[in-house]
Amino acid sequence: MSATLQNLVNQPYKHGFVTSIESDVAPKGLNADTIWMISTKKKEPEWLLEFRLKSYEAWLKMEEPIWPNVHYPKIDFQAISYYSAPKQKPKLKSMDEVDPELLRTFEKLGVPLHERMALAGVAVDVIFDSVSVATTYKDKLAEVGIIFCSMSEAVLDHPELVQKYLGTVIPSSDNFYAALNSAVFTDGSFCYIPKGVKCPMDLSTYFRINTEESGQFERTLIVAEEGASVSYLEGCTAPAFSSNQLHAAVVELVALDNADIKYSTVQNWYAGDEKGVGGIYNFVTKRGLAKGVNSRISWTQVETGSAITWKYPSCVLLGDNSVGEFYSVAVTNHYQQADTGTKMIHVGKNTRSTIVSKGISAGHSNNSYRGLVKVAPSATGARNYSQCDSMLVGQNSGAHTFPYIQVANNSSQIEHEASTSKIGEDQLFYFAQRGIDAEAAVSMIINGFCKDVFQQLPMEFAVEATALLSFKLEGSVG
Amino acid sequence: MIYPDSKIVLEVRGLCATVNGTEILKGLDLTVRRGEVHAIMGPNGSGKSTFSKILAGHSAYEVTGGSVMFEGQNLFDLAPEERARAGVFLAFQYPIEIPGVINSQFLRLTYNTVQTHRGKEELDPLEFDDYVREKMKLLEMSPDFLERSVNEGFSGGEKKRNEILQMAMLDPRLAILDETDSGLDIDALRIVANGVNQLANKDNAIVLVTHYQRLLNYIVPDYVHVMEAGRIIKTGGKELALELESRGYDWVGVEHKAVAGAVA
């Protein structure tokens, strides 16, 4: 790789700092007592403790998946602390009550939540470590009957809704990490859009890991009732720690008849340093159930962080005429490894799905697309279109595509397109000859490559994603 | 046009350069003043294209000797993008395709970047659209060029027009046109040459690198240089190009050797 390209992709992580908020950390290790402690600390109802213990039992019998195209030392699950809560006053009525230290953290992250988010009309459910500390716009949303709160609050205030849907899209025995999450999840977001309600604003959550060696087990559940619609934004950044951190979130979406859920993610967890030391292990299970007729689940993700990513936001298209979408940009640099993609499970008649995946690999990184399109015998008239494009930056990175297509109904129509390209020295020279430095050139090429996905993001998120990609792949030149 | 006492734009002295260890330029001398049009001709492999890429700062070539002054400053002190901003423009022999990047966005970025470095105002997308459409008329380009990816799927003629469009936008002090006539049919050649002629003025200089005399029927040079084996071995007026067209390049080399022998 040339010196120019090398410099370009070697920009240090800008969000590398640690805030000094005192944490309430559980002792390391996992057993039934730990789960009991989490449940008790969170004052949870009996049924949830049972759900956790059942999940724990299932997890004990499961093996870590080894099929992803990623390599890392074996995780010692007994060396992880499963609960960490910043010491905060339990009830916060406004942002003024939030710890100023915390607010400064958000400033550094470029999330001036109290002002800019308000102006942008975005309600933010802030997750800091594992406990929600502030929720904005809740009252406004409550007026139209929307519930948007932390999972902990939902468990206490709306137990019947949580109990009805939790674990129905992703059963606790679904996979190793989903089982672990189901056993030990500490917090997350809950969102319920009642029948016929179009959510008047984008709902947004910022995730943030703050305590060294504390596992993060977020749990998100979004339910859109008949005819409801919501656009949900999830963004994350994390500070630069040297030891690996496990992140195993579970996100479940349920869309009933004619309901529409759009879920957008910008992920920028710490990716490790340029030698591959440190970084987050991001093992996430995300799945949407398009349960009702004409329902729609749409995933858009911009994955830039984490040392290792293992993530397949999927759609189960159960309702007739339901629609599943997956738009993804995954960027890896240095020694990052990503194995990401989607699953589109067609069950209902005339179900349609679209997959657009853009992978960018730089440095010594490895980026894999893994996707399953499955058409059940019942899915008459199902259609899928998949497009998987890879871009290589430099000589030492890898791009891989693993598409799986399983069709059991001969009336279906499946299309798959794929391409691989490279940012060449000649392209950078051409830009330079027009006065454009390599940073701006790479940014422009990458944004051009990703525009089909960025178009799917809400406006303010698209801007953020563009900036994020720029600082992932650009650096001081020369 | 030759103007008396015109300022020197480019002064090349004893330039030597290698690519992958092979010596390509072996002591090249050239002086170009404002207002002038120079043609550099020569057989394949004489080093013409290498010379133009070295002026633009291509990293594949290593300069091993000599000097190049551009507008009074050492050209080699400047990175490729700084040279472009300072007014060195290279029209590529093979313009590079950049899939996914929309031409209008690329053109605006390059225009605004260069303007900013010259202490001038940037144009917003609407202003730029007006500006670039006006410039495109010069080259008889259809507006749909703006919405396509940079050079992707362009015909040879369209690529060359896109190059001259950028020359028109960036208003360079020194424009080097590397084999701009290659791959052009006669109509496209006329349009491109007409564009270049309209851009030539007393404050800029143009260096045409070409294999054939054909282009020089349209863009009339003040000086014609013959290059062979990495240096300029003969310089004359526009009539030299016609002589080369009828007699080929060999006689120049023979003559050069004879002169060199006589001096020795």
Side-chain angles (χ1 to χ4, degrees), chain A residues 111-342:
Chain A
V111 189
L113 154 104
H114 54 297
E115 296 246 14
R116 284 195 216 167
M117 296 312 267
L119 286 172
V122 177
V124 179
D125 177 5
V126 179
I127 305 268
F128 190 85
D129 251 79
S130 309
V131 171
S132 291
V133 290
T135 302
T136 52
Y137 282 98
K138 205 190 251 178
D139 295 343
K140 203 168 172 182
L141 294 169
E143 275 173 33
V144 286
I146 292 173
I147 302 164
F148 179 40
C149 61
S150 71
M151 185 58 86
S152 313
E153 287 174 274
V155 166
L156 300 179
D157 299 344
H158 310 280
E160 71 296 338
L161 283 174
V162 178
Q163 194 174 6
K164 183 173 175 187
Y165 291 106
L166 190 76
T168 59
V169 184
I170 303 170
S172 48
S173 58
D174 188 82
N175 68 70
F176 184 84
Y177 293 107
L180 180 63
N181 176 289
S182 300
V184 302
F185 73 86
T186 43
D187 214 334
S189 297
F190 175 75
C191 178
Y192 177 80
I193 317 291
K195 193 170 170 177
V197 172
K198 311 271 178 222
C199 185
M201 65 189 80
D202 292 342
L203 302 180
S204 172
T205 301
Y206 279 78
F207 293 83
R208 183 107 165 77
I209 291 181
N210 192 52
T211 309
E212 196 164 5
E213 289 182 53
S214 78
Q216 279 272 308
F217 302 95
E218 308 287 353
R219 186 88 191 191
T220 298
L221 174 60
I222 299 175
V223 179
E225 287 276 8
E226 271 177 51
S229 76
V230 62
S231 168
Y232 189 90
L233 321 180
E234 173 204 83
C236 20
T237 72
F241 288 123
S242 61
S243 64
N244 290 305
Q245 293 185 305
L246 177 63
H247 181 75
V250 168
V251 176
E252 294 177 286
L253 313 180
V254 181
L256 301 180
D257 288 358
N258 302 302
D260 188 332
I261 301 175
K262 185 175 171 62
Y263 193 106
S264 310
T265 306
V266 172
Q267 187 267 116
N268 185 28
W269 298 112
Y270 179 52
D273 67 13
E274 68 278 6
K275 295 195 176 72
V277 177
I280 305 289
Y281 291 0
N282 195 28
F283 302 142
V284 181
T285 308
K286 289 182 169 181
R287 193 175 304 156
L289 177 61
K291 194 173 185 182
V293 295
N294 303 318
S295 56
R296 185 175 81 118
I297 302 271
S298 180
W299 298 101
T300 304
Q301 62 172 15
V302 178
E303 297 285 317
T304 69
S306 301
I308 299 170
T309 299
W310 179 95
K311 181 182 173 187
Y312 316 90
S314 305
C315 299
V316 179
L317 304 172
L318 192 62
D320 289 349
N321 308 318
S322 59
V323 174
E325 294 172 336
F326 175 74
Y327 298 96
S328 170
V329 167
V331 182
T332 53
N333 192 5
H334 303 309
Y335 287 87
Q336 275 178 280
Q337 304 173 71
D339 192 306
T340 184
T342 185

Side-chain angles (χ1 to χ4, degrees), chain A residues 2 4 391 421-422 424-438 440-451 477, chain B residues 53 56-59 80-81 84-85 88-92 95-102 105-106 109-110 113-114 150-151 163 166 170:
Chain A
S2 80
T4 317
M391 180 174 272
S421 56
K422 204 168 181 322
E425 287 295 314
D426 280 346
Q427 288 180 328
L428 296 181
F429 179 61
Y430 190 71
F431 275 95
Q433 216 308 297
R434 301 301 186 247
I436 301 169
D437 61 38
V442 168
S443 171
M444 190 165 226
I445 293 170
I446 296 290
N447 283 320
F449 179 71
C450 299
K451 66 173 181 278
V477 181
Chain B
K53 284 181 188 150
H58 196 292
S59 61
E81 62 271 21
R85 295 164 191 168
V88 176
F89 181 87
L90 171 65
F92 282 59
I96 309 298
E97 298 188 357
I98 307 166
V101 174
I102 301 302
Q105 292 173 2
F106 171 73
L109 179 63
T110 173
T113 303
V114 169
V150 179
N151 293 324
E163 293 293 285
Q166 293 174 60
L170 301 180

